[in-house]
Amino acid sequence: MKRCVIVLVAVMAVFLLGGCSSGEETGNSESGAKDVESVSKLTGYWEGAINIPNQPLAFNAEFEEESGMISIPVQGLQNFPLATVDFDDPGIYFDMNLQGQQISFEGELSGEEITGTFTQQGQSIPFVLAKAEKQLEEPQNLAEIEVKGGTMKALIEMPKGEGPFPVMLIIAGSGPTDKDGNSLALPGKNNGLKMLAEELAKQGIASIRYDKRGVGDNLALAGSEKDLRFDDYINDAAAWLEFAKKDESFSEDGVIGHSEGSLIGMEAAEKASADAYISVAGPAEPIDQILRQQLQEQLPEPLMEEAEAILEQLKQGQQVETVDPQLNNIFRPSVQPYLISWIKYDPAEELKNLDMPVLVVGGTHDLQVPEEQAETLKQANTDAELLAIDGMNHVLKPAPEDEAGNMETYSDPDVPLADGLINGITEFLKNNGIQFNEQ
């Protein structure tokens, strides 16, 4: 099984670009014209990423004539003013000191793309910036609740007309995946969960979707990595269900959990006594089994033996003090408590506990969580219904079986949801007594 599990490493990176100007008049008109032309090449809005292996860190920058700002959404850095810049077309060098750390970028401008090397604490990583059209944000219907560590925000998608409406809590998958279904570990956007919410609204079904703690709107809830537990995600989801139950805008409530969100969702649905539960592209195996399968395809035998030993200790609830640097990205000591808290959950076993209508959805072209996983979940709960969507991949889009073509949809927001997904969900809800009026 090729399920991709990404554990986000907190990386604080600051990027500086801007026009080069000494602030002095040189009196050389030819040189001045050249400077103006050079500065104009940088003026505008740029998007890019530091290409950290397995988890590119997205950022954007906006430049004026002699100044600029950068934003790193996943780290909550918004419109941070830029500082020192040295631009001698095509060469670019920019740096700054952030919280005592020297951070620098060195690269070249070619057309409307800047490529080069980002350096922080002695580590050098490639980066790229490309000129782009800035998208204006639409007004959003945001709600807030108090959770462990502070305030959490969520986006509510409401149908037209008067309620109350049934509401579905949509829970995103693993890694730095946001409420729209987009991951900063992958280029581009697919907007799969955003589309799901919008299509449900057209059917008269409201939805609540949120960035998990440490991502996007809820970056401030990240806290220390060593203190994070899988139960924190469960408790957050359960808190949103409790919010929905108390809001008179809503009638029945349910959960749609996607990928890793499937396990979070089934636990939250039981804890908050939801009226219905839907798993979409959810794995049926515990995370230690998934990691074993994933790592066997990537690691040489000596490292795989160490990974096996580490997983066995974590499964026993024991941390491992010494980890090979090559395995540090997955098993670093600070993330081990989280893995221990995650490993104890077996999705197939947990699904047996749900005393509510259950729908298990799988796509026949899902390269990350194969359709067979949905069948295994269905077998675990004999009362559950199974919906196999022909041609659907992991991001809920119609896609070919070949990997290259399949992955193209991960970064194409113009590809619609797979046929049969919305109809399958709405029919399941109707057949189980949840009332709504199509818009």
Side-chain angles (χ1 to χ4, degrees):
M1 182 175 62
K2 296 183 179 179
R3 180 171 186 264
C4 182
V5 179
I6 303 169
V7 180
L8 178 63
V9 181
V11 179
M12 175 53 76
V14 173
F15 314 89
L16 297 177
L17 289 173
C20 179
S21 172
S22 66
E24 299 178 1
E25 296 293 332
T26 64
N28 187 323
S29 61
E30 181 179 347
S31 174
K34 183 177 179 181
D35 288 345
V36 170
E37 182 181 354
S38 295
V39 168
S40 69
K41 292 181 180 181
L42 290 177
T43 301
Y45 178 77
W46 299 69
E47 291 183 344
I50 300 178
N51 295 316
I52 300 170
N54 297 323
Q55 52 182 40
L57 185 64
F59 70 102
N60 61 67
E62 192 166 3
F63 313 113
E64 298 178 358
E65 184 175 341
E66 297 181 356
S67 62
M69 301 178 295
I70 66 102
S71 298
I72 310 174
V74 75
Q75 299 200 347
L77 196 67
Q78 297 293 332
N79 299 325
F80 197 94
L82 304 181
T84 306
V85 176
D86 183 3
F87 178 44
D88 185 9
D89 195 5
I92 301 173
Y93 174 86
F94 43 98
D95 68 3
M96 77 172 295
N97 186 288
L98 179 68
Q99 296 178 344
Q101 293 186 33
Q102 183 71 19
I103 299 167
S104 67
F105 281 75
E106 187 169 6
E108 289 190 352
L109 171 66
S110 177
E112 295 191 336
E113 185 173 88
I114 300 168
T115 57
T117 303
F118 155 74
T119 303
Q120 180 179 14
Q121 293 184 319
Q123 185 176 15
S124 296
I125 304 170
F127 80 93
V128 61
L129 275 172
K131 219 160 197 181
E133 182 177 346
K134 187 174 183 179
Q135 301 295 318
L136 298 178
E137 294 186 3
E138 298 180 359
Q140 296 182 324
N141 182 14
L142 291 175
E144 295 183 352
I145 60 172
E146 292 302 312
V147 296
K148 174 185 174 183
T151 301
M152 176 170 270
K153 298 178 181 179
L155 178 61
I156 300 179
E157 199 85 36
M158 295 292 285
K160 295 179 181 178
E162 296 184 6
F165 304 102
V167 61
M168 302 301 294
L169 178 67
I170 300 175
I171 305 174
S174 63
T177 304
D178 67 17
K179 59 181 175 293
D180 291 337
N182 303 315
S183 174
L184 290 174
L186 298 170
K189 297 180 178 181
N190 64 75
N191 284 341
L193 299 185
K194 180 177 186 288
M195 292 180 179
L196 177 60
E198 292 171 345
E199 291 300 318
L200 288 175
K202 292 178 183 178
Q203 301 296 321
I205 302 168
S207 63
I208 300 172
R209 66 187 197 274
Y210 60 96
D211 296 325
K212 65 184 135 184
R213 52 181 61 228
V215 175
D217 292 337
N218 298 312
L219 177 73
L221 293 171
S224 172
E225 184 177 69
K226 66 182 177 61
D227 296 326
L228 181 65
R229 300 294 183 272
F230 193 75
D231 285 356
D232 292 334
Y233 292 144
I234 295 171
N235 292 335
D236 292 341
W240 282 113
L241 284 172
E242 294 294 348
F243 164 85
K245 290 179 182 296
K246 296 174 182 177
D247 193 315
E248 295 182 355
S249 301
F250 307 124
S251 52
E252 299 95 342
D253 59 84
V255 176
I256 299 177
H258 177 249
S259 193
E260 180 195 67
S262 169
L263 176 56
I264 295 170
M266 67 178 73
E267 293 299 310
E270 181 184 21
K271 184 171 184 176
S273 301
D275 295 310
Y277 168 73
I278 300 173
S279 168
V280 180
E285 301 170 323
I287 187 58
D288 60 312
Q289 293 183 27
I290 293 172
L291 283 173
R292 281 189 176 91
Q293 294 165 7
Q294 183 180 356
L295 294 175
Q296 282 171 352
E297 301 175 1
Q298 304 174 30
L299 298 180
E301 186 173 347
L303 277 179
M304 188 61 217
E305 290 178 358
E306 180 175 345
E308 289 272 10
I310 292 172
L311 284 170
E312 188 57 37
Q313 282 193 247
L314 295 178
K315 194 173 183 68
Q316 300 301 319
Q318 302 172 0
Q319 291 189 237
V320 180
E321 292 184 5
T322 304
V323 177
D324 188 293
Q326 298 178 77
L327 296 175
N328 210 44
N329 187 47
I330 301 173
F331 298 121
R332 59 192 176 280
S334 60
V335 82
Q336 288 182 26
Y338 176 78
L339 290 174
I340 290 172
S341 70
W342 189 1
I343 284 174
K344 71 179 183 180
Y345 288 102
D346 183 334
E349 290 299 317
E350 299 300 328
L351 195 65
K352 295 178 182 179
N353 298 326
L354 295 191
D355 184 20
M356 64 189 68
V358 173
L359 175 66
V360 180
V361 183
T364 62
H365 290 177
D366 191 331
L367 300 181
Q368 293 179 242
V369 181
E371 179 191 0
E372 293 78 12
Q373 294 288 298
E375 296 171 356
T376 301
L377 284 177
K378 164 67 177 80
Q379 293 169 5
N381 187 323
T382 55
D383 292 328
E385 299 178 36
L386 177 64
L387 175 62
I389 305 294
D390 187 39
M392 185 177 80
N393 70 358
H394 194 66
V395 294
L396 317 183
K397 306 293 185 75
E401 289 186 89
D402 69 278
E403 184 172 349
N406 197 299
M407 292 301 294
E408 284 182 5
T409 69
Y410 282 56
S411 57
D412 191 346
D414 293 328
V415 177
L417 296 177
D419 288 342
L421 178 61
I422 295 299
N423 286 343
I425 290 174
T426 55
E427 286 301 311
F428 163 75
L429 295 175
K430 282 181 181 178
N431 292 341
N432 286 281
I434 294 181
Q435 303 297 317
F436 52 92
N437 297 316
E438 295 184 15
Q439 302 297 294

